[in-house]
Amino acid sequence: MNQPGESLRDRKKRRTRAALERATVRLAAVKGYDHVTVEEIAAEADVSVRTFFNYFASKDEALIGADPEVGPRMAERVLAFPDTVTPFEAYRRSVLAEITEELDSARELWLLRKEVLMQRPDLLVRAFASGAESEQLLASAVARRAALPEDHLYPRLLVSAGSVAFRCAVTRWALDDNLALGDLVTEAFDLFGAGLAHAPHHHEGGS
């Protein structure tokens, strides 16, 4: 599934980046992260070393996999929705638009990355911190959309809660191959959007 408004060039860039991330994670899982070289990663992804460095400054960045274009892209999407769309719904749709076929089929890769990162606490900390800049951009976009000051609690709380909801959905999705990531993210957003003061009713056979 292509992202809305995505050009052929952007699509190719996204797929090359994803191929490099997959190569890094898989080699690290097999050989041990410290024994993997950039040259091996590039060869595994069938690109040149120069191409690798067009996307990542180091193999640490490739393992963490934080895309610097995600924040600006999502913030732009939040602001592009018609005025009839609420700030919450604009943010929710922006998050869901990031879930492509590549991500929805990357369960094994997510688990491998988590396994490698758990062995490197320094990189795990960087992985958690890598989303902070994107969250700030998104909070600013939500604030503009809601006509609120950037330091208002609402946009910061919305984006922070959304990030946690996404992580919870990804964790559950990674452990159950019968579930689709997009459905789980939608469910997570529906739950915190409705409010968490009361637990939802459990339906037999449901989630």
Side-chain angles (χ1 to χ4, degrees):
M1 181 175 68
N2 300 327
Q3 296 185 14
E6 186 179 44
S7 67
L8 177 61
R9 180 173 179 273
D10 289 340
R11 197 152 59 242
K12 287 181 176 178
K13 285 176 62 179
R14 175 163 55 83
R15 289 173 177 167
T16 299
R17 183 184 184 89
L20 286 165
E21 288 182 22
R22 285 195 301 270
T24 304
V25 173
R26 287 173 179 166
L27 285 171
V30 171
K31 300 183 62 176
Y33 181 70
D34 291 335
H35 300 292
V36 177
T37 67
V38 169
E39 288 76 13
E40 288 173 319
I41 295 169
E44 179 78 7
D46 198 25
V47 300
S48 68
V49 171
R50 180 178 179 181
T51 296
F52 175 93
F53 285 113
N54 285 340
Y55 290 86
F56 302 102
S58 66
K59 68 175 187 176
D60 288 0
E61 286 190 5
L63 177 65
I64 292 169
D67 186 349
E69 296 180 3
V70 167
R73 181 169 63 236
M74 292 179 67
E76 181 179 353
R77 211 181 271 127
V78 166
L79 294 171
F81 285 106
D83 292 341
T84 52
V85 178
T86 65
F88 174 86
E89 185 62 18
Y91 173 58
R92 174 181 168 278
R93 292 185 193 179
S94 181
V95 172
L96 287 171
E98 285 297 314
I99 302 174
T100 63
E101 280 184 7
E102 290 96 326
L103 180 57
D104 210 11
S105 62
R107 181 180 287 104
E108 179 186 356
L109 182 69
W110 191 90
L111 287 171
L112 282 177
R113 174 181 273 136
K114 182 180 179 182
E115 180 183 319
V116 175
L117 284 171
M118 289 299 288
Q119 298 169 15
R120 289 292 303 269
D122 57 324
L123 296 182
L124 186 60
V125 171
R126 284 177 58 185
F128 280 122
S130 64
E133 186 175 342
S134 292
E135 286 191 16
Q136 181 57 55
L137 285 171
L138 281 165
S140 296
V142 170
R144 285 178 59 188
R145 185 164 194 93
L148 293 170
E150 284 199 11
D151 61 352
H152 195 281
L153 184 60
Y154 174 81
R156 292 169 180 263
L157 182 59
L158 173 58
V159 173
S160 295
S163 296
V164 172
F166 181 81
R167 286 198 294 272
C168 289
V170 169
T171 300
R172 187 176 174 206
W173 159 79
L175 299 175
D176 189 338
D177 57 11
N178 294 313
L179 300 172
L181 180 58
D183 292 342
L184 288 171
V185 172
T186 297
E187 180 184 358
F189 269 74
D190 287 346
L191 284 170
F192 94 77
L196 298 177
H198 301 284
H201 294 293
H202 175 74
H203 299 286
E204 195 66 34
S207 54

